Amino acid sequence: MSILVTGGCGYIGSHTVVELLNLGKEVVIVDDLSNASAKVVDRIEEITGKRPSFYQQDVVDKDGLRSIFKKEQIEASIHFAAFKAVGESVQKPGAYYENNIMSILSLVEVMAEFDVKKIVFSSSATVYGSLNPSPYKEDMPVGVPTSPYGQTKVMCEQILRDIYISDNNWSISLLRYFNPIGAHESGLIGEDPSGIPNNLMPFIAQVAVGKREFLNIFGDDYETQDGTCVRDYIHVVDLAKGHVKALDKLNQAPDVYTYNLGSGQGTSVLELVHTFVAVTGVDIPYKMAPRRAGDLASFYANADKALADLNWKTEKSIEDMCRDTWNWQSKNPNGYENQ
Ligand code: UDP
């Protein structure tokens, strides 16, 4: 039996596939490569010595999915495939609502047809919105995210909760990620943003490798210890391991399980930059810039529930995240391109 991983060639998906294969699980990747490279499959094989099945396929296409479910013995799905750029979602809300909502609907419909009723869903801390105080806890009411991207996460969570209400045989895990950074310690897989990176760590990495001249720090007048925004950074390998634990939990009993996957620790933009410089010895020139629209001053997880229920907690430090990011970026200055 195999685990279907949609978006398995992406940043978090690829790291999760590695953890699954390392545990001896069979994996089927479905990815349309709209924001990922097929080379990831080779890299996964290089790391694990095992080659997952791979289908270049859009999850929205139900008939395409059906043919995969006919060929493969799928026992559960982990659904990563989605559009994920917050700023772009403000510019192109229609595309975000269409892709992210249609893909979850398509996937669960085809899963139900094949009587596969276990799913782990990539959600986000953005579902807490701007009004809940940190640390965020899973039993807080879902808020109103500031972007269409965030709204799609709220809606997909609700769709999955409603599906469980309609059919109590489903076993569903909603994983609310905080800020994943870092890379596999091999340096063979990592984050490879197309165009100008939107997120902080990929931007720092591109400054470090000489692709960008300096980092803009968006706001130094927030009510935080040094005036820059505070986030809960989590090493992508810790995050991947959280998925494996959440998947195991689905075998216990049908239900909807919601977990924060974060460290519980806040780190400011300046702290992250300074740690990166200290760990790598590479200077990161930066300039203070105006606040970015929609940014919250500070948020971080209460990670107690994942520890209590899944026996999962983060193990890697901010130093590990910086070292592994630099290892990946320096070995792959252009990501997966031109190699
Ligand atoms: N940030 C920054 N410069 C950049 C990118 C991000 O100062 O080039 C800041 C951003 O304003 C936020 C923090 O870094 O305070 C984390 O941003 P990211 O987009 O990585 O995560 P998110 O804000 O979505 O949690």
mmCIF file of all heavy atoms in Angstrom, residues 86 178-179 181 197-204 215-219 222 228-233 269 272 290-292 294-297 299, ligand 1:
data_model
loop_
_atom_site.group_PDB
_atom_site.id
_atom_site.type_symbol
_atom_site.label_atom_id
_atom_site.label_comp_id
_atom_site.label_asym_id
_atom_site.label_seq_id
_atom_site.Cartn_x
_atom_site.Cartn_y
_atom_site.Cartn_z
ATOM 1 N N VAL A 86 1.453 34.444 -0.873
ATOM 2 C CA VAL A 86 0.468 35.318 -0.234
ATOM 3 C C VAL A 86 0.200 36.566 -1.089
ATOM 4 O O VAL A 86 -0.946 36.896 -1.395
ATOM 5 C CB VAL A 86 0.965 35.726 1.174
ATOM 6 C CG1 VAL A 86 0.016 36.730 1.817
ATOM 7 C CG2 VAL A 86 1.126 34.491 2.059
ATOM 8 N N PHE A 178 3.751 26.736 10.849
ATOM 9 C CA PHE A 178 4.250 28.070 11.131
ATOM 10 C C PHE A 178 5.237 28.430 10.007
ATOM 11 O O PHE A 178 4.850 28.383 8.844
ATOM 12 C CB PHE A 178 4.732 28.147 12.596
ATOM 13 C CG PHE A 178 3.504 28.252 13.484
ATOM 14 C CD1 PHE A 178 2.632 27.161 13.630
ATOM 15 C CD2 PHE A 178 3.132 29.448 14.044
ATOM 16 C CE1 PHE A 178 1.430 27.284 14.335
ATOM 17 C CE2 PHE A 178 1.944 29.579 14.761
ATOM 18 C CZ PHE A 178 1.091 28.494 14.895
ATOM 19 N N ASN A 179 6.477 28.779 10.234
ATOM 20 C CA ASN A 179 7.313 29.251 9.127
ATOM 21 C C ASN A 179 8.423 28.252 8.801
ATOM 22 O O ASN A 179 9.500 28.303 9.411
ATOM 23 C CB ASN A 179 7.906 30.622 9.461
ATOM 24 C CG ASN A 179 6.854 31.719 9.447
ATOM 25 O OD1 ASN A 179 5.875 31.656 10.184
ATOM 26 N ND2 ASN A 179 7.038 32.700 8.603
ATOM 27 N N ILE A 181 11.571 26.684 7.238
ATOM 28 C CA ILE A 181 12.806 27.113 6.557
ATOM 29 C C ILE A 181 13.814 25.961 6.680
ATOM 30 O O ILE A 181 13.492 24.906 7.219
ATOM 31 C CB ILE A 181 13.389 28.433 7.139
ATOM 32 C CG1 ILE A 181 13.704 28.291 8.632
ATOM 33 C CG2 ILE A 181 12.435 29.596 6.899
ATOM 34 C CD1 ILE A 181 14.456 29.495 9.216
ATOM 35 N N PRO A 197 12.122 35.947 -4.327
ATOM 36 C CA PRO A 197 11.503 35.252 -3.189
ATOM 37 C C PRO A 197 10.606 36.193 -2.384
ATOM 38 O O PRO A 197 10.942 37.351 -2.163
ATOM 39 C CB PRO A 197 12.701 34.817 -2.335
ATOM 40 C CG PRO A 197 13.894 34.923 -3.218
ATOM 41 C CD PRO A 197 13.584 35.974 -4.237
ATOM 42 N N ASN A 198 9.463 35.674 -1.966
ATOM 43 C CA ASN A 198 8.555 36.462 -1.122
ATOM 44 C C ASN A 198 8.903 36.293 0.344
ATOM 45 O O ASN A 198 8.673 37.175 1.152
ATOM 46 C CB ASN A 198 7.115 35.973 -1.308
ATOM 47 C CG ASN A 198 6.650 36.123 -2.725
ATOM 48 O OD1 ASN A 198 6.638 37.236 -3.244
ATOM 49 N ND2 ASN A 198 6.296 35.025 -3.369
ATOM 50 N N ASN A 199 9.421 35.138 0.679
ATOM 51 C CA ASN A 199 9.638 34.815 2.096
ATOM 52 C C ASN A 199 11.049 35.193 2.523
ATOM 53 O O ASN A 199 11.967 35.313 1.711
ATOM 54 C CB ASN A 199 9.365 33.337 2.351
ATOM 55 C CG ASN A 199 7.926 32.973 2.034
ATOM 56 O OD1 ASN A 199 7.666 32.286 1.051
ATOM 57 N ND2 ASN A 199 6.995 33.458 2.813
ATOM 58 N N LEU A 200 11.182 35.342 3.836
ATOM 59 C CA LEU A 200 12.417 35.906 4.375
ATOM 60 C C LEU A 200 13.651 35.020 4.122
ATOM 61 O O LEU A 200 14.666 35.496 3.602
ATOM 62 C CB LEU A 200 12.237 36.149 5.881
ATOM 63 C CG LEU A 200 13.451 36.680 6.624
ATOM 64 C CD1 LEU A 200 13.896 38.027 6.052
ATOM 65 C CD2 LEU A 200 13.132 36.817 8.118
ATOM 66 N N MET A 201 13.602 33.754 4.515
ATOM 67 C CA MET A 201 14.819 32.942 4.446
ATOM 68 C C MET A 201 15.321 32.721 3.016
ATOM 69 O O MET A 201 16.528 32.842 2.769
ATOM 70 C CB MET A 201 14.606 31.612 5.178
ATOM 71 C CG MET A 201 15.866 30.821 5.355
ATOM 72 S SD MET A 201 17.215 31.780 6.140
ATOM 73 C CE MET A 201 17.691 30.665 7.441
ATOM 74 N N PRO A 202 14.433 32.414 2.053
ATOM 75 C CA PRO A 202 14.935 32.288 0.683
ATOM 76 C C PRO A 202 15.582 33.588 0.187
ATOM 77 O O PRO A 202 16.549 33.557 -0.571
ATOM 78 C CB PRO A 202 13.689 31.956 -0.134
ATOM 79 C CG PRO A 202 12.709 31.431 0.843
ATOM 80 C CD PRO A 202 13.022 32.060 2.164
ATOM 81 N N PHE A 203 15.071 34.722 0.644
ATOM 82 C CA PHE A 203 15.672 35.997 0.230
ATOM 83 C C PHE A 203 17.065 36.146 0.843
ATOM 84 O O PHE A 203 18.028 36.506 0.164
ATOM 85 C CB PHE A 203 14.767 37.182 0.615
ATOM 86 C CG PHE A 203 14.998 38.382 -0.261
ATOM 87 C CD1 PHE A 203 14.087 38.736 -1.243
ATOM 88 C CD2 PHE A 203 16.176 39.141 -0.134
ATOM 89 C CE1 PHE A 203 14.326 39.829 -2.083
ATOM 90 C CE2 PHE A 203 16.413 40.230 -0.960
ATOM 91 C CZ PHE A 203 15.491 40.573 -1.938
ATOM 92 N N ILE A 204 17.165 35.831 2.132
ATOM 93 C CA ILE A 204 18.479 35.887 2.790
ATOM 94 C C ILE A 204 19.462 34.981 2.040
ATOM 95 O O ILE A 204 20.606 35.364 1.760
ATOM 96 C CB ILE A 204 18.370 35.439 4.268
ATOM 97 C CG1 ILE A 204 17.577 36.461 5.086
ATOM 98 C CG2 ILE A 204 19.759 35.226 4.883
ATOM 99 C CD1 ILE A 204 17.308 36.037 6.541
ATOM 100 N N LEU A 215 19.098 42.703 1.601
ATOM 101 C CA LEU A 215 17.761 42.334 2.097
ATOM 102 C C LEU A 215 17.031 43.596 2.524
ATOM 103 O O LEU A 215 17.611 44.452 3.187
ATOM 104 C CB LEU A 215 17.935 41.405 3.310
ATOM 105 C CG LEU A 215 16.681 41.096 4.135
ATOM 106 C CD1 LEU A 215 15.750 40.148 3.384
ATOM 107 C CD2 LEU A 215 17.077 40.485 5.489
ATOM 108 N N ASN A 216 15.775 43.717 2.138
ATOM 109 C CA ASN A 216 14.912 44.754 2.716
ATOM 110 C C ASN A 216 14.248 44.169 3.946
ATOM 111 O O ASN A 216 13.605 43.110 3.857
ATOM 112 C CB ASN A 216 13.806 45.148 1.724
ATOM 113 C CG ASN A 216 14.303 46.118 0.679
ATOM 114 O OD1 ASN A 216 14.842 47.181 1.015
ATOM 115 N ND2 ASN A 216 14.155 45.749 -0.577
ATOM 116 N N ILE A 217 14.392 44.844 5.063
ATOM 117 C CA ILE A 217 13.664 44.404 6.266
ATOM 118 C C ILE A 217 12.404 45.248 6.368
ATOM 119 O O ILE A 217 12.474 46.479 6.503
ATOM 120 C CB ILE A 217 14.544 44.517 7.528
ATOM 121 C CG1 ILE A 217 15.718 43.542 7.401
ATOM 122 C CG2 ILE A 217 13.707 44.260 8.787
ATOM 123 C CD1 ILE A 217 16.600 43.439 8.621
ATOM 124 N N PHE A 218 11.267 44.576 6.261
ATOM 125 C CA PHE A 218 9.986 45.277 6.159
ATOM 126 C C PHE A 218 9.487 45.700 7.540
ATOM 127 O O PHE A 218 8.666 45.024 8.148
ATOM 128 C CB PHE A 218 8.948 44.390 5.474
ATOM 129 C CG PHE A 218 9.319 43.978 4.069
ATOM 130 C CD1 PHE A 218 9.074 42.678 3.620
ATOM 131 C CD2 PHE A 218 9.910 44.870 3.191
ATOM 132 C CE1 PHE A 218 9.391 42.285 2.323
ATOM 133 C CE2 PHE A 218 10.247 44.495 1.891
ATOM 134 C CZ PHE A 218 9.985 43.199 1.461
ATOM 135 N N GLY A 219 9.952 46.832 8.013
ATOM 136 C CA GLY A 219 9.449 47.406 9.253
ATOM 137 C C GLY A 219 10.371 47.160 10.434
ATOM 138 O O GLY A 219 10.753 46.025 10.699
ATOM 139 N N TYR A 222 7.824 47.796 14.872
ATOM 140 C CA TYR A 222 6.781 46.980 15.499
ATOM 141 C C TYR A 222 7.028 46.900 17.006
ATOM 142 O O TYR A 222 8.159 47.115 17.465
ATOM 143 C CB TYR A 222 6.791 45.551 14.907
ATOM 144 C CG TYR A 222 6.240 45.472 13.511
ATOM 145 C CD1 TYR A 222 7.094 45.455 12.404
ATOM 146 C CD2 TYR A 222 4.862 45.384 13.283
ATOM 147 C CE1 TYR A 222 6.584 45.364 11.112
ATOM 148 C CE2 TYR A 222 4.352 45.291 11.995
ATOM 149 C CZ TYR A 222 5.214 45.281 10.915
ATOM 150 O OH TYR A 222 4.711 45.195 9.645
ATOM 151 N N THR A 228 11.500 44.500 14.778
ATOM 152 C CA THR A 228 11.206 43.725 13.559
ATOM 153 C C THR A 228 10.240 42.591 13.904
ATOM 154 O O THR A 228 10.121 42.192 15.066
ATOM 155 C CB THR A 228 12.498 43.181 12.902
ATOM 156 O OG1 THR A 228 13.128 42.228 13.777
ATOM 157 C CG2 THR A 228 13.477 44.311 12.594
ATOM 158 N N CYS A 229 9.573 42.070 12.881
ATOM 159 C CA CYS A 229 8.504 41.077 13.121
ATOM 160 C C CYS A 229 9.049 39.771 13.679
ATOM 161 O O CYS A 229 10.164 39.342 13.331
ATOM 162 C CB CYS A 229 7.774 40.778 11.822
ATOM 163 S SG CYS A 229 6.760 42.111 11.242
ATOM 164 N N VAL A 230 8.233 39.140 14.468
ATOM 165 C CA VAL A 230 8.604 37.874 15.111
ATOM 166 C C VAL A 230 7.760 36.736 14.518
ATOM 167 O O VAL A 230 6.545 36.866 14.388
ATOM 168 C CB VAL A 230 8.387 37.982 16.640
ATOM 169 C CG1 VAL A 230 8.472 36.613 17.309
ATOM 170 C CG2 VAL A 230 9.392 38.951 17.250
ATOM 171 N N ARG A 231 8.442 35.649 14.153
ATOM 172 C CA ARG A 231 7.774 34.465 13.608
ATOM 173 C C ARG A 231 8.321 33.222 14.303
ATOM 174 O O ARG A 231 9.383 33.248 14.925
ATOM 175 C CB ARG A 231 8.043 34.334 12.095
ATOM 176 C CG ARG A 231 7.490 35.455 11.252
ATOM 177 C CD ARG A 231 5.970 35.374 11.146
ATOM 178 N NE ARG A 231 5.413 36.431 10.305
ATOM 179 C CZ ARG A 231 5.063 37.635 10.756
ATOM 180 N NH1 ARG A 231 5.203 37.948 12.037
ATOM 181 N NH2 ARG A 231 4.541 38.529 9.923
ATOM 182 N N ASP A 232 7.582 32.121 14.096
ATOM 183 C CA ASP A 232 7.960 30.829 14.672
ATOM 184 C C ASP A 232 8.546 29.987 13.539
ATOM 185 O O ASP A 232 7.809 29.369 12.762
ATOM 186 C CB ASP A 232 6.688 30.188 15.256
ATOM 187 C CG ASP A 232 6.961 28.859 15.935
ATOM 188 O OD1 ASP A 232 7.980 28.225 15.623
ATOM 189 O OD2 ASP A 232 6.115 28.462 16.769
ATOM 190 N N TYR A 233 9.874 29.990 13.427
ATOM 191 C CA TYR A 233 10.530 29.250 12.333
ATOM 192 C C TYR A 233 10.694 27.791 12.728
ATOM 193 O O TYR A 233 11.030 27.480 13.876
ATOM 194 C CB TYR A 233 11.878 29.894 11.987
ATOM 195 C CG TYR A 233 11.686 31.295 11.446
ATOM 196 C CD1 TYR A 233 11.836 32.418 12.270
ATOM 197 C CD2 TYR A 233 11.282 31.495 10.132
ATOM 198 C CE1 TYR A 233 11.601 33.699 11.783
ATOM 199 C CE2 TYR A 233 11.057 32.773 9.628
ATOM 200 C CZ TYR A 233 11.214 33.866 10.460
ATOM 201 O OH TYR A 233 10.978 35.124 9.971
ATOM 202 N N VAL A 269 13.129 39.088 12.763
ATOM 203 C CA VAL A 269 13.841 39.141 11.467
ATOM 204 C C VAL A 269 15.325 39.403 11.715
ATOM 205 O O VAL A 269 16.196 38.712 11.152
ATOM 206 C CB VAL A 269 13.239 40.244 10.561
ATOM 207 C CG1 VAL A 269 14.051 40.389 9.281
ATOM 208 C CG2 VAL A 269 11.779 39.949 10.232
ATOM 209 N N LEU A 272 17.160 36.423 13.097
ATOM 210 C CA LEU A 272 17.412 35.397 12.077
ATOM 211 C C LEU A 272 18.594 35.809 11.189
ATOM 212 O O LEU A 272 19.476 34.994 10.901
ATOM 213 C CB LEU A 272 16.149 35.172 11.232
ATOM 214 C CG LEU A 272 16.217 33.962 10.306
ATOM 215 C CD1 LEU A 272 16.283 32.650 11.088
ATOM 216 C CD2 LEU A 272 15.005 33.921 9.371
ATOM 217 N N PRO A 290 9.865 50.124 4.484
ATOM 218 C CA PRO A 290 8.532 50.263 5.092
ATOM 219 C C PRO A 290 7.908 48.907 5.404
ATOM 220 O O PRO A 290 8.291 47.885 4.819
ATOM 221 C CB PRO A 290 7.717 50.977 4.012
ATOM 222 C CG PRO A 290 8.710 51.586 3.106
ATOM 223 C CD PRO A 290 9.945 50.745 3.170
ATOM 224 N N ARG A 291 6.941 48.927 6.282
ATOM 225 C CA ARG A 291 6.202 47.706 6.619
ATOM 226 C C ARG A 291 5.570 47.104 5.362
ATOM 227 O O ARG A 291 5.187 47.844 4.451
ATOM 228 C CB ARG A 291 5.082 48.024 7.612
ATOM 229 C CG ARG A 291 5.572 48.400 8.986
ATOM 230 C CD ARG A 291 4.374 48.646 9.890
ATOM 231 N NE ARG A 291 4.797 48.905 11.264
ATOM 232 C CZ ARG A 291 3.969 48.884 12.304
ATOM 233 N NH1 ARG A 291 2.679 48.631 12.127
ATOM 234 N NH2 ARG A 291 4.421 49.122 13.521
ATOM 235 N N ARG A 292 5.440 45.779 5.349
ATOM 236 C CA ARG A 292 4.756 45.092 4.251
ATOM 237 C C ARG A 292 3.270 44.977 4.618
ATOM 238 O O ARG A 292 2.942 44.586 5.744
ATOM 239 C CB ARG A 292 5.383 43.702 4.085
ATOM 240 C CG ARG A 292 4.870 42.906 2.915
ATOM 241 C CD ARG A 292 5.663 41.622 2.718
ATOM 242 N NE ARG A 292 5.456 40.661 3.797
ATOM 243 C CZ ARG A 292 5.974 39.421 3.812
ATOM 244 N NH1 ARG A 292 6.760 39.032 2.814
ATOM 245 N NH2 ARG A 292 5.733 38.614 4.813
ATOM 246 N N GLY A 294 -0.272 43.884 5.485
ATOM 247 C CA GLY A 294 -0.845 42.619 5.964
ATOM 248 C C GLY A 294 0.004 41.882 6.977
ATOM 249 O O GLY A 294 -0.444 40.878 7.537
ATOM 250 N N ASP A 295 1.251 42.330 7.230
ATOM 251 C CA ASP A 295 2.110 41.616 8.187
ATOM 252 C C ASP A 295 1.628 41.803 9.631
ATOM 253 O O ASP A 295 1.272 42.909 10.027
ATOM 254 C CB ASP A 295 3.557 42.132 8.111
ATOM 255 C CG ASP A 295 4.398 41.318 7.150
ATOM 256 O OD1 ASP A 295 3.976 40.205 6.765
ATOM 257 O OD2 ASP A 295 5.487 41.797 6.782
ATOM 258 N N LEU A 296 1.650 40.732 10.390
ATOM 259 C CA LEU A 296 1.385 40.821 11.827
ATOM 260 C C LEU A 296 2.718 41.002 12.544
ATOM 261 O O LEU A 296 3.745 40.478 12.095
ATOM 262 C CB LEU A 296 0.708 39.546 12.329
ATOM 263 C CG LEU A 296 -0.645 39.208 11.683
ATOM 264 C CD1 LEU A 296 -1.180 37.901 12.244
ATOM 265 C CD2 LEU A 296 -1.637 40.338 11.928
ATOM 266 N N ALA A 297 2.696 41.723 13.673
ATOM 267 C CA ALA A 297 3.946 41.990 14.394
ATOM 268 C C ALA A 297 4.597 40.698 14.872
ATOM 269 O O ALA A 297 5.810 40.502 14.740
ATOM 270 C CB ALA A 297 3.670 42.901 15.580
ATOM 271 N N PHE A 299 3.794 36.318 15.741
ATOM 272 C CA PHE A 299 2.976 35.156 16.081
ATOM 273 C C PHE A 299 3.822 33.903 16.180
ATOM 274 O O PHE A 299 4.854 33.775 15.519
ATOM 275 C CB PHE A 299 1.766 34.972 15.146
ATOM 276 C CG PHE A 299 2.088 34.670 13.713
ATOM 277 C CD1 PHE A 299 2.394 33.390 13.293
ATOM 278 C CD2 PHE A 299 2.040 35.683 12.758
ATOM 279 C CE1 PHE A 299 2.655 33.100 11.968
ATOM 280 C CE2 PHE A 299 2.309 35.416 11.426
ATOM 281 C CZ PHE A 299 2.618 34.119 11.035
HETATM 282 N N1 UDP B 1 10.510 39.909 5.545
HETATM 283 C C1 UDP B 1 11.441 40.893 5.331
HETATM 284 N N2 UDP B 1 12.057 40.964 4.112
HETATM 285 C C2 UDP B 1 11.798 40.081 3.109
HETATM 286 C C3 UDP B 1 10.848 39.053 3.349
HETATM 287 C C4 UDP B 1 10.218 38.998 4.584
HETATM 288 O O1 UDP B 1 11.712 41.713 6.211
HETATM 289 O O2 UDP B 1 12.377 40.202 2.020
HETATM 290 C C5 UDP B 1 9.851 39.824 6.855
HETATM 291 C C6 UDP B 1 8.335 39.894 6.773
HETATM 292 O O3 UDP B 1 7.921 41.241 6.782
HETATM 293 C C7 UDP B 1 7.944 39.140 8.039
HETATM 294 C C8 UDP B 1 9.049 38.097 8.212
HETATM 295 O O4 UDP B 1 10.145 38.560 7.421
HETATM 296 O O5 UDP B 1 8.009 40.008 9.113
HETATM 297 C C9 UDP B 1 8.669 36.716 7.730
HETATM 298 O O6 UDP B 1 8.155 36.841 6.426
HETATM 299 P P1 UDP B 1 7.742 35.594 5.558
HETATM 300 O O7 UDP B 1 7.113 36.109 4.289
HETATM 301 O O8 UDP B 1 8.906 34.675 5.428
HETATM 302 O O9 UDP B 1 6.645 34.841 6.459
HETATM 303 P P2 UDP B 1 5.170 35.308 6.923
HETATM 304 O O10 UDP B 1 5.177 36.780 7.136
HETATM 305 O O11 UDP B 1 4.267 34.886 5.823
HETATM 306 O O12 UDP B 1 4.922 34.584 8.181
#
